[in-house]
Amino acid sequence: MNTKPDEAEVSAAAQPTVDSEKSVEALSTPPDGGIQAWLIVAAIFGINVAQGGYLVAWGTFQAFYQDSLLKDKSPSTIAWIGSIQYALDCAPGLLSGRLLDAGYLRTTVVVSSIAATIANFTIPECSQYYQFFLSQSILYGVRCGFLYTPCLGLISHWFDKKRPLVFAIVTAGSGVGGALYPVMFRRLESTIGFPWTMRVVAFYQTVFLLFGCVVLRPRVRKAQNMPRLLDFRGVLRSPSYISYVFATFLAFMALFTPLTFMTVKAENIGISSDLSFYLVAIVNATTVPGRLIFGFLARRYGALNLTFVATSSSVAFILAWAFVVDAPTYITMSICYGVLSGAFLGIFLVPVTQMGDVHDTGRRTGIQMTVLSIGALIGPPISGAIQDQDNGFDMVGIYAGGSF
């Protein structure tokens, strides 16, 4: 008896069935909702509260280090800790984005969470500049970068039409965390001291990271023909992609300058130290409505159009922030800056996710985040150096407003 299948049977088996084609199509179409999808939104929101809020609250640490632990260092030198932390939140994006595309999300989340725990419990033991630099800047910053880009890229697996709104919701976590950390730090540091304050922060972050380890998972399977890690041909042939990434790079050069020097500038114009510390929390809180409102409007008017509106409007308030010398006006300008910078941060990644296939989202967002890391890296130290030379913030505002 001949058991060898004939050519017709082999040919038929090699062809995709109608059911399999429908299955692939259904898998590639984001569900735009459901329990699993919204649990993932909650997990990413929590991670942004934990690590994103910590990063944007750097102004609190900048002022504290200048006044106490690192008072022998210049503002520009201390700002390098925060700027490298900002940069490393984006710099590994090219690699971490490809890990999402390759199906290694769960491994990335677990390893990053372990690294966060190590960094958080190392910071309380620091006393020298290089120790803060290695633990708070390098180690904590790198693990943020390996978690941030995949989490944002994952949204495209689960949402399509609601994507701008979901981006705004999850990134609002940074604003919520940025409002909580300064208050937490101010209240705890004065009662239990710096080391135990940072240990409380470590436990606080661990709760959110554990939830992410349990919930986060990709929906789209690994692409069959993934480009090589350093294969940029597809994206670099797109003038719109290149132009948009360059524009957001310039914005990131200026974006963190007001947040970095918010407390220092406030104290310079006579605002009390208590209110100056809480001003960082207030400004971060105001980013939340900016993110949510612009995320909601982006569904109708387009994320790219509203990104342009947010960046253009931010320039005026950054300039005003630098030049005002009375407390009420300074607080007002800071709040306006918070709303508009939040609007930008809530939707700036959406246009890139819409410039190609969902299987390649990690690469597109990763390249953008890696480029943006350079802007985040050099922006605050340049502002600090200008402030050292000018002994004020007028030229800092011109530099930051011109870059934005």
Side-chain angles (χ1 to χ4, degrees):
M1 179 177 177
N2 183 15
T3 58
K4 183 178 179 180
D6 59 29
E7 294 182 0
E9 291 173 332
V10 172
S11 176
Q15 297 297 322
T17 64
V18 173
D19 289 340
S20 66
E21 287 179 349
K22 289 181 178 179
S23 176
V24 171
E25 182 180 357
L27 187 63
S28 62
T29 303
D32 252 347
I35 294 177
Q36 182 64 46
W38 288 112
L39 280 174
I40 285 174
V41 171
I44 300 175
F45 175 86
I47 288 173
N48 276 332
V49 170
Q51 72 176 38
Y54 184 81
L55 295 179
V56 298
W58 167 252
T60 297
F61 291 96
Q62 174 84 23
F64 177 76
Y65 291 158
Q66 282 185 216
D67 293 339
S68 57
L69 296 180
L70 300 175
K71 58 185 177 182
D72 59 323
K73 304 296 182 182
S74 69
S76 180
T77 300
I78 297 172
W80 276 107
I81 299 175
S83 65
I84 291 179
Q85 195 179 54
Y86 292 144
L88 291 176
D89 188 40
C90 306
L94 176 58
L95 177 57
S96 61
R98 299 310 282 154
L99 290 174
L100 170 66
D101 294 337
Y104 295 106
L105 175 71
R106 300 297 295 273
T107 303
T108 303
V109 173
V110 171
V111 173
S112 297
S113 299
I114 293 172
T117 303
I118 295 172
N120 281 328
F121 282 101
T122 303
I123 294 171
E125 311 305 322
C126 297
S127 59
Q128 303 296 318
Y129 176 81
Y130 78 92
Q131 296 171 339
F132 286 104
F133 185 84
L134 291 175
S135 58
Q136 190 168 4
S137 184
I138 302 298
L139 180 56
Y140 192 86
V142 168
R143 55 79 35 195
C144 283
F146 273 92
L147 193 54
Y148 183 61
T149 300
C151 282
L152 295 184
L154 183 63
I155 294 171
S156 298
H157 288 203
W158 295 91
F159 293 92
D160 182 18
K161 294 180 180 178
K162 296 178 182 176
R163 193 179 302 168
L165 179 59
V166 172
F167 265 105
I169 291 172
V170 299
T171 59
S174 297
V176 173
L180 292 175
Y181 278 114
V183 177
M184 181 190 303
F185 185 88
R186 185 67 168 175
R187 295 291 181 88
L188 293 179
E189 194 279 327
S190 61
T191 55
I192 62 177
F194 177 77
W196 270 106
T197 296
M198 298 309 297
R199 292 184 188 110
V200 171
V201 169
F203 286 117
Y204 169 79
Q205 291 190 8
T206 300
V207 173
F208 290 104
L209 293 173
L210 286 175
F211 181 60
C213 289
V214 173
V215 171
L216 295 179
R217 64 188 62 191
R219 191 190 63 87
V220 177
R221 291 192 293 262
K222 174 184 174 181
Q224 293 296 318
N225 298 307
M226 281 184 57
R228 291 190 301 270
L229 176 63
L230 299 179
D231 183 359
F232 305 138
R233 289 174 295 177
V235 292
L236 294 185
R237 289 174 182 169
S238 170
S240 58
Y241 178 86
I242 294 173
S243 300
Y244 182 73
V245 169
F246 180 70
T248 52
F249 162 77
L250 294 178
F252 261 61
M253 283 187 64
L255 183 66
F256 298 109
T257 290
L259 278 177
T260 298
F261 297 100
M262 184 72 63
T263 300
V264 177
K265 160 82 174 177
E267 292 177 347
N268 282 356
I269 63 174
I271 297 178
S272 68
S273 59
D274 284 338
L275 179 56
S276 298
F277 260 87
Y278 290 128
L279 191 57
V280 175
I282 294 170
V283 172
N284 280 321
T286 61
T287 67
V288 175
R291 295 171 196 259
L292 296 178
I293 292 171
F294 273 63
F296 177 79
L297 293 176
R299 296 181 62 187
R300 178 173 182 179
Y301 298 105
L304 184 61
N305 295 330
L306 291 181
T307 300
F308 175 77
V309 172
T311 52
S312 301
S313 303
S314 295
V315 173
F317 291 106
I318 289 176
L319 290 171
W321 167 86
F323 282 91
V324 296
V325 293
D326 61 289
T329 306
Y330 180 77
I331 294 172
T332 301
M333 293 299 101
S334 298
I335 290 173
C336 291
Y337 157 79
V339 172
L340 292 168
S341 65
F344 169 77
L345 289 170
I347 59 175
F348 81 94
L349 270 176
V350 176
V352 168
T353 66
Q354 297 171 335
M355 292 181 182
D357 187 74
V358 66
H359 292 90
D360 200 38
T361 300
R363 181 172 67 145
R364 294 193 308 277
T365 56
I367 292 173
Q368 182 190 25
M369 296 303 288
T370 300
V371 172
L372 297 186
S373 70
I374 302 173
L377 172 65
I378 64 178
I382 290 176
S383 298
I386 294 173
Q387 195 254 329
D388 284 343
Q389 294 294 322
D390 190 50
N391 199 28
F393 288 90
D394 293 356
M395 294 305 298
V396 172
I398 293 174
Y399 153 73
S403 298
F404 218 130

